[in-house]
Amino acid sequence: MLGIPTVLDRLIQQALHQILSPLWEPGFSAHSYGFRPGRSAAQAIKAAQGHVRSGKRWVVDMDLEKFFDRVNHDVLMARVVRKVKERRVLGLIRRYLESGIMQEGLVEPRSEGTPQGGPLSPLLSNILLDDLDKELEKRGHAFCRYADDCNIYIGSQRAGRRVKETLTRFLLEKLKLKVNPLKSAVDRPWKRKFLGFSLTAQKESRVRVAPQSVKRLEDKLREKFREGRGRNLTTFLEGLRPLLRGWANYFSVAETRGVFEELDQWIRRKLRCMEWRKWKRGRRRMQRLTALGLERERARTSAFNGHGPWWNAGASHMHQALPTAYFRKQGLISLLEEVNWRTALREAASL
């Protein structure tokens, strides 16, 4: 659960973060990418791609069970005290860990976990999991970790099972953290999801958007389309743009682009479906189709064809009446164009 601190507490936690981060940052692993300056999920998935291309075509996908809710306070503070000796600072960090959560006016005490939502929590999670990074480095493993998502890249399934077993024991004994057996696995990288991405199975593996991420976006958009029924199209698209732009920005590192084109087509069909529903009756539909450029006889036949909204949204008369250019004029952005544009910017910056 999220534990959002008050404004004053956020200020104090941010001040602590700015002082404590430089103490640990130089010693953190080069394979750790989460919540660190100058590092990103895009860098993590590119590093994972490098490991797979080097021949490590099995992955140990470790999922920590409710990590932020299960952090042992004593184990965490034992790592903080390695570099922080000031008792007042240590006491303040401990109090934030134990501050609890207020729900419906009642405070629930907290005996374990580090509350998500505060500026200090990401740093504390990296301090705790740095022991895992050091253990993996000591064993010579190729791995990528982003917060509590950790993937270890191995050359064989047998070796992967052995690594999974020993790491599960290490996490439980040393850090008091449990591995979720249902979500963790030894598998091929292209069958697993890492930070919303996956990889293709070719020898020169390419980064792609994971199918689960596509489905999650479609679910969000379906909810938006339900809310947008009957609304003005331009206003609706204005509210849709931040979601589409943010999604395209995050996944612009993907190297397979077909999914973006397919999503663009699906979104336009959903918009045509929404407009068809908005017109409601046959006579109104005929009037709108005629106004949008269809011949009167074709508009009449199309308006009274007896098919449902989704069928009509994919039919030629709606494509002619509401082409891609129409939606662009109303404010719709293309995921594929956004991704291509952002990729071009990155390439230009690297020259």
Side-chain angles (χ1 to χ4, degrees):
M1 296 182 66
L2 291 179
I4 309 299
T6 63
V7 174
L8 179 59
D9 284 331
R10 284 202 297 273
L11 173 68
I12 297 170
Q13 286 193 30
Q14 183 60 35
L16 283 170
H17 185 282
Q18 290 178 200
I19 297 299
L20 298 180
S21 182
L23 299 179
W24 270 277
E25 184 60 35
F28 280 153
S29 170
H31 306 285
S32 166
Y33 295 89
F35 309 120
R36 295 182 59 192
R39 289 178 166 259
S40 66
Q43 292 174 336
I45 193 62
K46 281 295 187 180
Q49 180 187 34
H51 295 320
V52 174
R53 284 184 171 183
S54 72
K56 299 181 184 298
R57 296 174 69 80
W58 287 90
V59 63
V60 182
D61 187 354
M62 304 289 289
D63 183 88
L64 299 179
E65 192 173 88
K66 297 182 179 179
F67 170 73
F68 285 95
D69 295 331
R70 297 285 174 84
V71 168
N72 184 287
H73 291 171
D74 293 333
V75 173
L76 174 57
M77 291 305 298
R79 276 126 188 96
V80 174
V81 81
R82 291 172 184 173
K83 295 191 177 183
V84 176
K85 306 303 179 184
E86 172 58 53
R87 289 181 177 271
R88 290 175 296 177
V89 174
L90 293 172
L92 185 58
I93 295 172
R94 171 74 79 160
R95 286 176 65 188
Y96 278 129
L97 289 173
E98 297 175 348
S99 59
I101 296 175
M102 180 175 286
Q103 286 187 290
E104 298 178 358
L106 299 175
V107 176
E108 293 186 4
R110 179 188 289 273
S111 59
E112 61 179 7
T114 172
Q116 294 187 72
L120 199 56
S121 291
L123 175 61
L124 294 177
S125 68
N126 275 333
I127 290 172
L128 179 63
L129 291 174
D130 188 54
D131 278 27
L132 172 61
D133 297 341
K134 296 297 188 289
E135 179 68 17
L136 290 170
E137 288 176 344
K138 187 173 72 174
R139 298 184 188 186
H141 289 312
F143 70 97
C144 298
R145 183 179 67 79
Y146 192 98
D148 57 328
D149 288 332
C150 185
N151 278 6
I152 304 104
Y153 295 88
I154 306 292
S156 71
Q157 186 179 26
R158 183 179 177 183
R161 287 172 177 167
R162 186 173 63 249
V163 168
K164 180 174 178 287
E165 183 181 338
T166 57
L167 284 180
T168 299
R169 191 162 54 246
F170 170 84
L171 287 164
L172 184 60
E173 293 175 357
K174 299 294 185 181
L175 302 180
K176 308 300 181 187
L177 296 172
K178 292 182 180 180
V179 172
N180 188 332
L182 299 177
K183 294 184 178 180
S184 301
V186 178
D187 207 342
R188 296 292 193 179
W190 45 90
K191 294 182 179 179
R192 304 297 295 180
K193 175 173 70 73
F194 182 48
L195 303 177
F197 294 92
S198 187
L199 297 166
T200 61
Q202 297 103 321
K203 185 176 181 180
E204 289 298 307
S205 190
R206 295 194 294 167
V207 177
R208 65 186 178 102
V209 182
Q212 300 94 317
S213 300
V214 175
K215 184 180 182 304
R216 194 174 297 118
L217 175 65
E218 288 176 344
D219 290 342
K220 285 183 181 177
L221 289 172
R222 283 191 182 95
E223 183 62 33
K224 292 280 187 184
F225 284 120
R226 278 193 292 270
E227 295 171 358
R229 288 179 184 175
R231 292 178 57 192
N232 174 269
L233 181 61
T234 305
T235 305
F236 173 74
L237 291 175
E238 186 177 340
L240 204 62
R241 273 200 301 275
L243 172 61
L244 297 178
R245 188 162 280 140
W247 199 86
N249 180 42
Y250 181 80
F251 287 105
S252 61
V253 70
E255 295 167 327
T256 57
R257 301 299 170 85
V259 65
F260 301 108
E261 188 173 1
E262 290 170 6
L263 281 168
D264 280 338
Q265 292 170 358
W266 181 80
I267 289 168
R268 289 194 296 269
R269 185 168 180 178
K270 292 290 286 185
L271 289 170
R272 292 186 183 106
C273 183
M274 193 171 74
E275 290 297 283
W276 183 266
R277 288 178 183 275
K278 191 192 300 181
W279 298 338
K280 293 184 179 179
R281 300 186 182 278
R283 187 171 295 278
R284 172 63 174 163
R285 287 167 179 166
M286 185 178 74
Q287 291 173 348
R288 289 298 300 145
L289 290 171
T290 304
L292 289 166
L294 267 67
E295 294 179 0
R296 184 173 180 80
E297 184 57 30
R298 190 182 180 205
R300 186 188 67 78
T301 304
S302 301
F304 294 95
N305 60 35
H307 290 288
W310 185 246
W311 185 92
N312 277 282
S316 60
H317 57 269
M318 285 297 282
H319 278 261
Q320 182 181 337
L322 301 175
T324 301
Y326 175 85
F327 291 120
R328 287 189 180 182
K329 188 176 180 180
Q330 301 300 316
L332 177 66
I333 63 172
S334 164
L335 289 172
L336 181 61
E337 291 180 3
E338 281 284 317
V339 166
N340 288 338
W341 175 68
R342 293 176 188 280
T343 301
L345 280 180
R346 281 199 304 271
E347 291 174 351
S350 65
L351 293 177

